[in-house]
Amino acid sequence: MTSQRAGRGPSVTRVMEIVEAVSSLEQPMSPADLSFHLGIPKASLHRLIQQLEDDGYIQINMRGKVVPGRRMYKVALGVLYSSRFQIQRQAILQRLGRQLDEACGIAIPDGTEMVYYDRVESSWPLQFNLKAGSRVPLWCTSSGKLYLSFLPKNMRHRVINNLPLDKLSRSTLTDPDSLEESLILTRANEMGIDNEEYIDGMVGCSVPIKNEDGQFIASLYTHVPVVRKSLEELKAYEPLLRQAAADISDLVNSPVMDSGE
């Protein structure tokens, strides 16, 4: 038993080092570069990468780089959306909802869509039917555009060039170059804008929720009918949105407390 534990310990540590590196590096690395970066022998690294790839935690992209797989995203998002944090997360959203008196929520990326995971509705009778669980496009929503803006440039270009870019409203950006210009500004401001690009008569904005390394993990969004507020009026709530996003980020990044505390 002792020898088995001794043998398994270093492998587990190396697996976690690979997972941590792949999830936190700004630019994906090749297996060879990752081997050098982590100080793990190439043969050992290739064996561990193969296992992680088989299990869906990482994947090798078309350029031969190691990138997060679907299961790694699920693990990361599971921290934010675990029941342990649900009551605190909901309290922050409900506070923001009262301050804005508009619908607000958290959107997470899933493939080429954003999923509205958490949501608080406004008290107004006129609302958009976008409940928790709704799936919305990346290229024409404030939360989706914000997520795209945080992708590395080369990856973003490949994604944009493969998105359908369907015209869903009169203002939808369907030209890749125009969308890229919009995303550059979005990244600079760290604020996503939907100027009636998804639904005619609806404007929205979003700010990022980040991990402790400053990386995007989700969008905190709000949207309203233009008959109630203009985009500029909605953007005036930016300080409240950023404070709520910071509070949720602190929640995600705080050490997990013992259940008795």
Side-chain angles (χ1 to χ4, degrees), residues 18 21-23 25 27-32 34 45 49 52 57-61 63-69 72:
I18 294 170
V22 172
S23 65
L25 291 171
Q27 296 289 340
M29 289 185 173
S30 67
L34 202 57
L45 185 85
I49 283 179
L52 286 168
Y57 287 102
I58 63 173
Q59 55 186 334
I60 308 297
N61 67 16
R63 297 172 63 87
K65 307 292 186 180
V66 185
V67 296
M72 189 185 293

Side-chain angles (χ1 to χ4, degrees), residues 82-224:
S82 66
S83 58
R84 182 186 300 273
F85 298 130
Q86 183 177 15
I87 187 171
Q88 299 171 73
R89 192 178 66 243
Q90 278 288 322
I92 294 170
L93 278 181
Q94 289 174 8
R95 181 196 70 201
L96 179 63
R98 290 193 301 270
Q99 292 170 330
L100 304 182
D101 196 16
E102 297 293 354
C104 61
I106 297 171
I108 60 176
D110 185 17
T112 58
E113 297 176 309
M114 298 296 288
V115 179
Y116 287 170
Y117 188 87
D118 265 352
R119 184 177 172 91
V120 171
E121 300 293 348
S122 73
S123 61
W124 296 95
L126 177 59
Q127 302 186 52
F128 291 98
N129 186 29
L130 293 168
K131 307 296 184 183
S134 297
R135 307 178 76 90
V136 299
L138 293 180
W139 67 92
C140 55
T141 57
S142 68
S143 57
K145 290 168 66 180
L146 184 63
Y147 167 58
L148 285 174
S149 77
F150 271 83
L151 294 177
K153 184 176 180 180
N154 290 339
M155 181 186 298
R156 185 171 69 242
H157 286 174
R158 290 196 299 272
V159 171
I160 291 174
N161 288 331
N162 285 286
L163 287 172
L165 300 186
D166 295 329
K167 191 171 184 63
L168 302 179
S169 76
R170 289 172 295 181
S171 302
T172 304
L173 297 176
T174 58
D175 174 60
D177 292 336
S178 298
L179 179 57
E180 172 63 11
E181 289 180 9
S182 174
L183 295 178
I184 291 173
L185 183 60
T186 297
R187 185 67 177 87
N189 296 331
E190 293 199 0
M191 187 175 194
I193 297 298
D194 170 7
N195 190 13
E196 298 189 70
E197 296 165 49
Y198 178 40
I199 297 174
D200 288 317
M202 184 182 82
V203 294
C205 58
S206 61
V207 296
I209 298 169
K210 302 178 181 180
N211 63 17
E212 61 185 359
D213 296 318
Q215 296 174 315
F216 176 98
I217 55 175
S219 293
L220 178 64
Y221 70 86
T222 182
H223 49 225
V224 303

